[in-house]
Amino acid sequence: MWIWPGFELRVALRFLREGRMQTVLIIVGVAAGVAVIAYISALISGLQSNTLAKTLGAQAHITLRAPDDLVIPAAPALPGTAALTETQPRAQRLRSVANWQALVPLLERLPEVAGVSPMVSGSGLALRGEASQAIALMGVDLDRYDRVVGLRSKVVSGTARLSPGEAIVGRELASDLGVRVGDRLTVQTSGAGGTVSDSVRVTALVDLGVKDLNRRTVIVPLRAAQSLLALPGGASQLDLTLKDVWVAQTLARELQAQFPYKIESWQESNAQLVSALNAQSISTSIIRGVVLAVVVLGIASVLVVSVVQKGREIGILRAMGATRGQVLRVFLVQGAVVGALGSVLGLLLAVALIWVFTHFVRGSDGLPLFSIALPLGMALQIALIASVCGVLAAVAPARRAAALDPAQAIRM
């Protein structure tokens, strides 16, 4: 009696060797399919990571603000009826998040949160001689803010520092105003208390990844912004960065249920981007499914032909004592071997394609468009799926081979 898997493996490999050309072609076909799946998956993953890095590089994953002001005017009452009320939004004023000092450590203790940064933000003007530019003024604690957006890594000139009387400005804004590191400019704001201005020294120029942001961003110490924007001791928002960006929406909903604040995740503020990423993921899944279907059909067709060609050999094996189960497993092993060999070759080809993309595809600035890589986990998953598909593709041919009558098969 033959013992699994020695007999089935030996017979399967012999059948594959005898149909050498068919075997080579189907392995190459599987390799091409696996390479396409792996390369497309790595490419889309790299593209999405690059897009998210650029989009979220200058913004928080979750933003917590004070709730909007509402006004509830009384509607005129009709004779014999009660007065009606209607809630309407009104022009919003800069407001501080209530009890934000106590809220910061509470948020920092959440396991999903990597950093919390209080901020005071508002509009103003940057003045330098006769030049003036509208700006978005942000007051932050530099160390905390750096943990949220990695500000120090975006410095293109100077050293990020925010002592009293200092500021960090966007690269394009500095060019528009004609200032360099070490120069002074005047920040001016207007409010109910009149016009307030402060002279600050530029310590660093930053590139936030978006020209519009670079053209209007001025970052000053938190206390300076509180004075300029008439919000003493306050914080207009709390910025949260998370360990996993994709839990932002879930965590935002949980926080909304716990706190009476306006809480917004990056998915809500970038709805179009999320839609585009979802469309990319769906397209990638469809491509992978179609390619896998082609691979399965290719393996199945070759093995069906093999059953016909090896009919006499199968009949002899049955006559010599091989069971239907052993014949069935012979063809399942063939499918597994073809799937496994094709997966290995396909992953090597995908790595080569990724290397070509990384080293030879360049943008208009001469730099790589974005980096892509094939993680080990993704590679193993693709290889496993391809091998399983190889076995599944062999099921129908294997059942056909196992069902052959020995006497009729020998006369074929």
Short mmCIF file of all heavy atoms in Angstrom, two decimals, residues 339-378:
data_model
loop_
_atom_site.label_atom_id
_atom_site.label_comp_id
_atom_site.label_asym_id
_atom_site.label_seq_id
_atom_site.Cartn_x
_atom_site.Cartn_y
_atom_site.Cartn_z
N GLY A 339 0.86 26.06 -8.46
CA GLY A 339 0.55 27.31 -7.77
C GLY A 339 1.72 27.82 -6.95
O GLY A 339 2.01 29.02 -6.96
N ALA A 340 2.40 26.90 -6.24
CA ALA A 340 3.52 27.32 -5.39
C ALA A 340 4.70 27.82 -6.22
O ALA A 340 5.28 28.88 -5.94
CB ALA A 340 3.96 26.16 -4.49
N LEU A 341 5.10 27.06 -7.25
CA LEU A 341 6.21 27.49 -8.10
C LEU A 341 5.90 28.80 -8.81
O LEU A 341 6.73 29.71 -8.90
CB LEU A 341 6.55 26.40 -9.11
CG LEU A 341 7.15 25.12 -8.55
CD1 LEU A 341 7.40 24.11 -9.67
CD2 LEU A 341 8.46 25.41 -7.82
N GLY A 342 4.67 28.91 -9.33
CA GLY A 342 4.27 30.15 -9.98
C GLY A 342 4.27 31.33 -9.02
O GLY A 342 4.64 32.45 -9.39
N SER A 343 3.88 31.08 -7.77
CA SER A 343 3.87 32.15 -6.77
C SER A 343 5.27 32.67 -6.49
O SER A 343 5.50 33.88 -6.43
CB SER A 343 3.23 31.66 -5.46
OG SER A 343 1.88 31.29 -5.67
N VAL A 344 6.21 31.74 -6.32
CA VAL A 344 7.59 32.15 -6.03
C VAL A 344 8.16 32.97 -7.19
O VAL A 344 8.73 34.06 -6.99
CB VAL A 344 8.47 30.92 -5.74
CG1 VAL A 344 9.94 31.34 -5.62
CG2 VAL A 344 8.00 30.22 -4.47
N LEU A 345 8.00 32.46 -8.41
CA LEU A 345 8.52 33.19 -9.57
C LEU A 345 7.80 34.53 -9.74
O LEU A 345 8.42 35.54 -10.10
CB LEU A 345 8.36 32.33 -10.83
CG LEU A 345 9.22 31.08 -10.90
CD1 LEU A 345 8.90 30.29 -12.18
CD2 LEU A 345 10.70 31.44 -10.87
N GLY A 346 6.49 34.54 -9.49
CA GLY A 346 5.72 35.77 -9.62
C GLY A 346 6.15 36.83 -8.62
O GLY A 346 6.26 38.01 -8.97
N LEU A 347 6.43 36.42 -7.39
CA LEU A 347 6.89 37.38 -6.39
C LEU A 347 8.26 37.94 -6.75
O LEU A 347 8.53 39.14 -6.55
CB LEU A 347 6.93 36.72 -5.00
CG LEU A 347 5.57 36.36 -4.40
CD1 LEU A 347 5.75 35.64 -3.07
CD2 LEU A 347 4.70 37.60 -4.21
N LEU A 348 9.14 37.09 -7.28
CA LEU A 348 10.46 37.58 -7.72
C LEU A 348 10.29 38.59 -8.86
O LEU A 348 10.98 39.62 -8.88
CB LEU A 348 11.33 36.40 -8.17
CG LEU A 348 11.75 35.43 -7.06
CD1 LEU A 348 12.55 34.26 -7.66
CD2 LEU A 348 12.60 36.15 -6.01
N LEU A 349 9.38 38.31 -9.78
CA LEU A 349 9.13 39.23 -10.88
C LEU A 349 8.55 40.55 -10.36
O LEU A 349 8.91 41.63 -10.82
CB LEU A 349 8.18 38.59 -11.88
CG LEU A 349 7.80 39.43 -13.11
CD1 LEU A 349 9.04 39.87 -13.88
CD2 LEU A 349 6.85 38.66 -14.03
N ALA A 350 7.64 40.46 -9.38
CA ALA A 350 7.05 41.67 -8.80
C ALA A 350 8.11 42.53 -8.12
O ALA A 350 8.11 43.75 -8.24
CB ALA A 350 5.96 41.29 -7.80
N VAL A 351 9.03 41.88 -7.40
CA VAL A 351 10.13 42.62 -6.75
C VAL A 351 10.98 43.33 -7.80
O VAL A 351 11.39 44.49 -7.62
CB VAL A 351 10.99 41.66 -5.90
CG1 VAL A 351 12.27 42.36 -5.44
CG2 VAL A 351 10.20 41.15 -4.71
N ALA A 352 11.23 42.65 -8.93
CA ALA A 352 12.00 43.28 -10.02
C ALA A 352 11.25 44.49 -10.59
O ALA A 352 11.85 45.54 -10.85
CB ALA A 352 12.28 42.25 -11.11
N LEU A 353 9.94 44.36 -10.78
CA LEU A 353 9.14 45.48 -11.30
C LEU A 353 9.15 46.66 -10.32
O LEU A 353 9.24 47.82 -10.73
CB LEU A 353 7.71 45.02 -11.56
CG LEU A 353 7.51 44.03 -12.72
CD1 LEU A 353 6.07 43.54 -12.75
CD2 LEU A 353 7.88 44.68 -14.05
N ILE A 354 9.05 46.36 -9.04
CA ILE A 354 9.08 47.41 -8.02
C ILE A 354 10.43 48.12 -8.03
O ILE A 354 10.52 49.35 -7.92
CB ILE A 354 8.77 46.82 -6.63
CG1 ILE A 354 7.30 46.39 -6.56
CG2 ILE A 354 9.09 47.82 -5.53
CD1 ILE A 354 6.95 45.62 -5.31
N TRP A 355 11.51 47.36 -8.19
CA TRP A 355 12.85 47.96 -8.25
C TRP A 355 12.98 48.87 -9.46
O TRP A 355 13.52 49.98 -9.36
CB TRP A 355 13.90 46.85 -8.32
CG TRP A 355 15.30 47.37 -8.31
CD1 TRP A 355 16.07 47.67 -7.21
CD2 TRP A 355 16.11 47.67 -9.46
NE1 TRP A 355 17.30 48.14 -7.60
CE2 TRP A 355 17.35 48.15 -8.98
CE3 TRP A 355 15.91 47.58 -10.83
CZ2 TRP A 355 18.38 48.53 -9.83
CZ3 TRP A 355 16.93 47.97 -11.68
CH2 TRP A 355 18.15 48.43 -11.20
N VAL A 356 12.45 48.44 -10.59
CA VAL A 356 12.49 49.28 -11.80
C VAL A 356 11.71 50.56 -11.58
O VAL A 356 12.17 51.67 -11.92
CB VAL A 356 11.93 48.50 -13.01
CG1 VAL A 356 11.73 49.43 -14.21
CG2 VAL A 356 12.87 47.36 -13.39
N PHE A 357 10.52 50.45 -10.98
CA PHE A 357 9.70 51.65 -10.74
C PHE A 357 10.42 52.60 -9.79
O PHE A 357 10.45 53.82 -10.02
CB PHE A 357 8.36 51.23 -10.13
CG PHE A 357 7.45 52.39 -9.81
CD1 PHE A 357 6.56 52.87 -10.76
CD2 PHE A 357 7.49 53.01 -8.57
CE1 PHE A 357 5.73 53.94 -10.47
CE2 PHE A 357 6.67 54.08 -8.27
CZ PHE A 357 5.79 54.55 -9.24
N THR A 358 11.00 52.07 -8.73
CA THR A 358 11.63 52.91 -7.73
C THR A 358 12.87 53.62 -8.27
O THR A 358 13.14 54.78 -7.91
CB THR A 358 12.02 52.06 -6.50
OG1 THR A 358 10.85 51.40 -5.99
CG2 THR A 358 12.63 52.92 -5.41
N HIS A 359 13.63 52.96 -9.15
CA HIS A 359 14.90 53.52 -9.60
C HIS A 359 14.82 54.27 -10.92
O HIS A 359 15.72 55.09 -11.21
CB HIS A 359 15.94 52.40 -9.73
CG HIS A 359 16.42 51.86 -8.40
ND1 HIS A 359 15.69 50.95 -7.66
CD2 HIS A 359 17.53 52.14 -7.68
CE1 HIS A 359 16.36 50.67 -6.55
NE2 HIS A 359 17.46 51.37 -6.53
N PHE A 360 13.81 54.04 -11.72
CA PHE A 360 13.81 54.65 -13.05
C PHE A 360 12.62 55.58 -13.31
O PHE A 360 12.68 56.39 -14.23
CB PHE A 360 13.84 53.56 -14.13
CG PHE A 360 15.12 52.78 -14.14
CD1 PHE A 360 15.18 51.53 -13.57
CD2 PHE A 360 16.27 53.31 -14.70
CE1 PHE A 360 16.36 50.80 -13.56
CE2 PHE A 360 17.46 52.60 -14.70
CZ PHE A 360 17.51 51.34 -14.13
N VAL A 361 11.55 55.47 -12.55
CA VAL A 361 10.39 56.34 -12.76
C VAL A 361 10.59 57.60 -11.92
O VAL A 361 10.72 57.53 -10.70
CB VAL A 361 9.07 55.64 -12.38
CG1 VAL A 361 7.89 56.59 -12.56
CG2 VAL A 361 8.89 54.39 -13.22
N ARG A 362 10.63 58.75 -12.58
CA ARG A 362 10.91 60.01 -11.91
C ARG A 362 9.84 61.04 -12.23
O ARG A 362 9.19 61.00 -13.28
CB ARG A 362 12.27 60.56 -12.35
CG ARG A 362 13.47 59.73 -11.89
CD ARG A 362 13.69 59.94 -10.40
NE ARG A 362 14.94 59.33 -9.95
CZ ARG A 362 15.05 58.09 -9.51
NH1 ARG A 362 13.97 57.33 -9.50
NH2 ARG A 362 16.20 57.62 -9.09
N GLY A 363 9.65 61.98 -11.31
CA GLY A 363 8.74 63.09 -11.54
C GLY A 363 9.43 64.22 -12.25
O GLY A 363 10.60 64.12 -12.66
N SER A 364 8.73 65.34 -12.42
CA SER A 364 9.31 66.48 -13.12
C SER A 364 10.49 67.09 -12.38
O SER A 364 11.34 67.76 -12.98
CB SER A 364 8.22 67.56 -13.32
OG SER A 364 7.68 67.95 -12.07
N ASP A 365 10.56 66.85 -11.06
CA ASP A 365 11.68 67.38 -10.27
C ASP A 365 12.87 66.43 -10.23
O ASP A 365 13.87 66.71 -9.56
CB ASP A 365 11.22 67.67 -8.84
CG ASP A 365 10.59 66.45 -8.17
OD1 ASP A 365 10.53 65.38 -8.81
OD2 ASP A 365 10.16 66.57 -7.01
N GLY A 366 12.78 65.31 -10.95
CA GLY A 366 13.88 64.36 -10.99
C GLY A 366 13.91 63.39 -9.84
O GLY A 366 14.77 62.51 -9.79
N LEU A 367 12.97 63.51 -8.91
CA LEU A 367 12.90 62.61 -7.76
C LEU A 367 11.88 61.50 -8.02
O LEU A 367 10.99 61.66 -8.85
CB LEU A 367 12.51 63.40 -6.51
CG LEU A 367 13.48 64.50 -6.08
CD1 LEU A 367 12.90 65.26 -4.89
CD2 LEU A 367 14.84 63.94 -5.73
N PRO A 368 12.00 60.37 -7.31
CA PRO A 368 10.99 59.31 -7.47
C PRO A 368 9.60 59.83 -7.15
O PRO A 368 9.43 60.67 -6.26
CB PRO A 368 11.45 58.25 -6.44
CG PRO A 368 12.91 58.50 -6.24
CD PRO A 368 13.09 59.98 -6.39
N LEU A 369 8.60 59.35 -7.89
CA LEU A 369 7.23 59.80 -7.65
C LEU A 369 6.81 59.50 -6.22
O LEU A 369 6.30 60.36 -5.51
CB LEU A 369 6.28 59.12 -8.63
CG LEU A 369 6.43 59.52 -10.11
CD1 LEU A 369 5.47 58.72 -10.96
CD2 LEU A 369 6.20 61.01 -10.29
N PHE A 370 7.01 58.28 -5.79
CA PHE A 370 6.77 57.86 -4.41
C PHE A 370 7.39 56.49 -4.25
O PHE A 370 7.67 55.79 -5.23
CB PHE A 370 5.27 57.84 -4.06
CG PHE A 370 4.42 57.05 -5.03
CD1 PHE A 370 4.23 55.69 -4.85
CD2 PHE A 370 3.82 57.68 -6.11
CE1 PHE A 370 3.46 54.96 -5.74
CE2 PHE A 370 3.04 56.96 -7.01
CZ PHE A 370 2.86 55.60 -6.82
N SER A 371 7.65 56.12 -3.03
CA SER A 371 8.29 54.84 -2.77
C SER A 371 7.23 53.75 -2.62
O SER A 371 6.17 53.98 -2.05
CB SER A 371 9.14 54.91 -1.49
OG SER A 371 8.31 55.20 -0.38
N ILE A 372 7.53 52.58 -3.17
CA ILE A 372 6.64 51.44 -3.01
C ILE A 372 7.48 50.25 -2.57
O ILE A 372 8.68 50.18 -2.85
CB ILE A 372 5.87 51.09 -4.30
CG1 ILE A 372 6.84 50.71 -5.43
CG2 ILE A 372 4.98 52.25 -4.73
CD1 ILE A 372 6.11 50.23 -6.68
N ALA A 373 6.87 49.35 -1.87
CA ALA A 373 7.55 48.15 -1.39
C ALA A 373 6.53 47.02 -1.29
O ALA A 373 5.31 47.26 -1.25
CB ALA A 373 8.19 48.41 -0.03
N LEU A 374 7.04 45.82 -1.26
CA LEU A 374 6.19 44.64 -1.12
C LEU A 374 6.42 44.06 0.26
O LEU A 374 7.41 43.33 0.49
CB LEU A 374 6.52 43.60 -2.20
CG LEU A 374 5.64 42.34 -2.23
CD1 LEU A 374 4.19 42.71 -2.53
CD2 LEU A 374 6.16 41.35 -3.28
N PRO A 375 5.57 44.38 1.24
CA PRO A 375 5.75 43.85 2.59
C PRO A 375 5.72 42.33 2.60
O PRO A 375 5.02 41.70 1.79
CB PRO A 375 4.56 44.43 3.37
CG PRO A 375 4.09 45.60 2.56
CD PRO A 375 4.37 45.24 1.13
N LEU A 376 6.46 41.75 3.53
CA LEU A 376 6.53 40.30 3.62
C LEU A 376 5.15 39.70 3.86
O LEU A 376 4.79 38.68 3.26
CB LEU A 376 7.48 39.89 4.75
CG LEU A 376 7.65 38.39 4.99
CD1 LEU A 376 8.20 37.70 3.74
CD2 LEU A 376 8.56 38.13 6.19
N GLY A 377 4.35 40.33 4.71
CA GLY A 377 3.02 39.81 4.99
C GLY A 377 2.14 39.78 3.75
O GLY A 377 1.44 38.80 3.50
N MET A 378 2.21 40.85 2.94
CA MET A 378 1.43 40.90 1.71
C MET A 378 1.91 39.84 0.73
O MET A 378 1.11 39.17 0.07
CB MET A 378 1.53 42.29 1.06
CG MET A 378 0.75 42.44 -0.23
SD MET A 378 1.04 44.03 -1.06
CE MET A 378 0.26 45.14 0.11
#
